[in-house]
Amino acid sequence: MNLLELTRLEVAYGGIKAVRGINLKVPEGELVCLIGTNGAGKTTTLKAIAGLLPVAADAIRYEGAPIGGARSFELVRRGLALVPEGRGVFGQLTVAENLAMGAYVRSDAAAVSSDLERVFSLFPRLAERRGQSAGTLSGGEQQMLAIGRALMSRPKLLLLDEPSMGLAPLMVQKIFETILAVAKDGVTILLVEQNARLALEVSSHGYVMETGLITLSGPARELLTDPKVRAAYLGEAD
Amino acid sequence: MRAGLRQMNILSPARAKWLGVALIALTLIGLPFALSSVGTAWVRIANLAILFTFLALGLNIVVGFAGLLDLGYIAFYAVGAYAYALLASPHFDLHLPFWVILPIGALVACLFGVLLGAPTLKLRGDYLAIVTLGFGEIVRIFLNNLSQPVNITNGPQGISRIDPFSFGSFSFSQNETIVGLAFSGPIKYYYILLALLLLAIVVNLRLQHSRIGRAWEAIREDEVAARAMGIDTTRIKLLAFAMGASFGGIAGGMFAAIQSFISPESFVLVESIMVLSMVVLGGMGNVWGVVLGAVLLSFVPELLRYTVEPLQQSLFGRSIIEPEVIRMLLFGMALVLMMLYRPAGLLPSAVRKRELTKPQGREA
């Protein structure tokens, strides 16, 4: 079953169409990636899914129901969590306060505190720094916090926007390991990335986006060996 | 010796805290009598100080908690004051009891808060400040001009002979002797104001640590991320405006009753700035800081008023600089010094302290 399905999704800023009718499926329990260069429309697509941009209702189906244009705070309640581009942690709040904010829509205190322990076991670094304000964390730690915070809402679908952005290679490796761990826990993930190789390596299925259109899609393994992808995104000549 | 030590242990931190609370309570209860022995004017000043503290707490919800800069806050004070004046004065010959009007005033001010909040939801910082400033002026200008064609506000003449608070025959404006103590009108008002202020402080403290308080904090930090957390930012921001405005409305009603006369002149821009200064000076977002800021800015100028003139007389034999001028000068200097040395306020909130002292974002 598809947890998320985009059908001819179009998103426009003013008169300019950033996304020009794309189809995309994220089956339940899988990790799907959307790769492409800067300005291809990847972030716009994620924002539209998360309810941050107005789109036609039918273009986005989540658990079978049309959610296009639904309000973001309602989508969070329905298990859809976005880790925004550039992380968007609350810099002045402590790590613990940030994580508590992630559970804002939940009222089951006991389950929240057990989820907090889970996040801390996933990111031991966050546990060490729970009393520290988020703005003083390193970029990688902030990314961990942003993912941990999104997990605190107990999402069914996690939308990750460029988790590798601006991070040192070692930290990128670490972040991707945790993304895999989260996926193994049963959370469905839609990953938007510029780092095509890493994204395809962890995903089951991949989509390539160019100037607002999906130009290629298929099992991630096949895309990794596709000559066009290799030339354009993996920096390898034939 | 042992016993002696144990005796000293009686003052444990918890006990010391309660002792402190008891001392403050006793001081607050005895204060009006001490002040009235100096002069009844000082009791009135204390009452106004409480009113302004109440106002500052209301503005703290909007500015301190939700981070929405409001330069027209006094408009809600005006709305509350006029609501009271119109419903309890000979102007329309209406004389409703105060416990009916105060909630009405709060409600009307709350509506005005939403009226201001709804169109400005997308604005932040400087832009919001300009719109709120305009809003404050619009309300004042309306009050000035709503005397024609139908006389509603009585224009610049204002409304006079406003009813004082009263329960049946017990009026808050008369002098009375209860169990041997002389209670003047202002002293009676002092106690009811103090009770309302305590209530306001409790509400503020509870709000800060509530779910709503956390949502405000999130919005102040990063609105998009706040929405991604599942916070209905529209509703939560409107709530801040509405609650802040309600505080202003109640304070306005009390002001009208105490002064028994109001006119648009009491609700000028400088008043908005004064209340904002109290919040900033004390420490945005910290309830006790705001209380301290409001009390200081209410009392110190009055103290100066009574000391500057005699001081100049005794030093130079005549008054060289008008007290009013010196007040503004010292006031401005105090604010500049504050911004330089304690930008987060006298008693900063934990979050603001971090914001202004710790280095930001270290990269991996």
Side-chain angles (χ1 to χ4, degrees), chain A residues 46-71:
Chain A
L46 270 202
K47 278 190 172 166
I49 298 169
L52 296 172
L53 294 170
V55 291
D58 253 350
I60 306 172
R61 286 183 168 267
Y62 172 72
E63 295 184 303
I67 59 156
R71 290 183 293 179

Side-chain angles (χ1 to χ4, degrees), chain A residues 91-92 101 104 135 137-138, chain B residues 211 214 221 232 354 361-362:
Chain A
Q92 269 45 269
M101 207 64 90
Y104 180 80
L137 298 180
S138 76
Chain B
R211 235 168 85 85
R214 284 196 292 136
E221 294 268 318
D232 183 349
R354 267 181 248 146
R362 157 167 75 83

